[in-house]
Amino acid sequence: MGDIHFYLKKAEKKTGQSLIFLQWKFNGNTLRFSFGQTINPNDWNKKKERVKVKTATTNDGKYNLNDFLNGLEEACGNIYNTHIKHSLPTPTLIKEE
């Protein structure tokens, strides 16, 4: 299935916040995308690829940010496993879903 990683884009000067990106390499393909969530780089654990502050929420305040990241990772795996039965999934297909 490949490896899924989360990383931060360089912080914006005005806000000091960084976009969180997902990167997934599978079957010789690479999928990279941001899903609109930002964080202060000081609150990011680079080694664990998760937020240090366990109570941090998504930008809209609806979800725990680490739970959100875990859910994205799980969703990618589920989409991949569903589509691999029929053909090799592409980054575009996975991103759309």
Side-chain angles (χ1 to χ4, degrees):
M1 184 179 91
D3 294 322
I4 296 173
H5 295 282
F6 294 98
Y7 65 95
L8 301 182
K9 186 177 178 181
K10 187 176 178 180
E12 291 185 22
K13 290 182 182 181
K14 286 184 179 181
T15 64
Q17 298 287 304
S18 295
L19 274 172
I20 304 172
F21 275 80
L22 178 145
Q23 178 176 291
W24 182 15
K25 293 184 179 187
F26 63 96
N27 299 336
N29 296 303
T30 301
L31 170 64
R32 284 187 199 100
F33 72 95
S34 174
F35 34 90
Q37 298 303 309
T38 60
I39 189 166
N40 183 311
N42 294 328
D43 294 333
W44 183 253
N45 183 323
K46 190 174 180 178
K47 186 174 181 177
K48 292 182 180 181
E49 299 177 0
R50 294 295 187 270
V51 182
K52 292 177 187 176
V53 181
K54 304 287 187 214
T55 58
T57 62
T58 53
N59 294 343
D60 61 8
K62 292 183 179 180
Y63 305 99
N64 175 283
L65 191 49
N66 280 334
D67 290 346
F68 183 81
L69 298 178
N70 292 338
L72 276 176
E73 190 169 5
E74 184 178 332
C76 287
N78 290 340
I79 293 165
Y80 179 87
N81 290 333
T82 298
H83 288 282
I84 195 69
K85 296 173 187 174
H86 307 290
S87 65
L88 288 176
T90 64
T92 302
L93 173 72
I94 291 172
K95 188 174 179 180
E96 286 174 359
E97 290 206 27

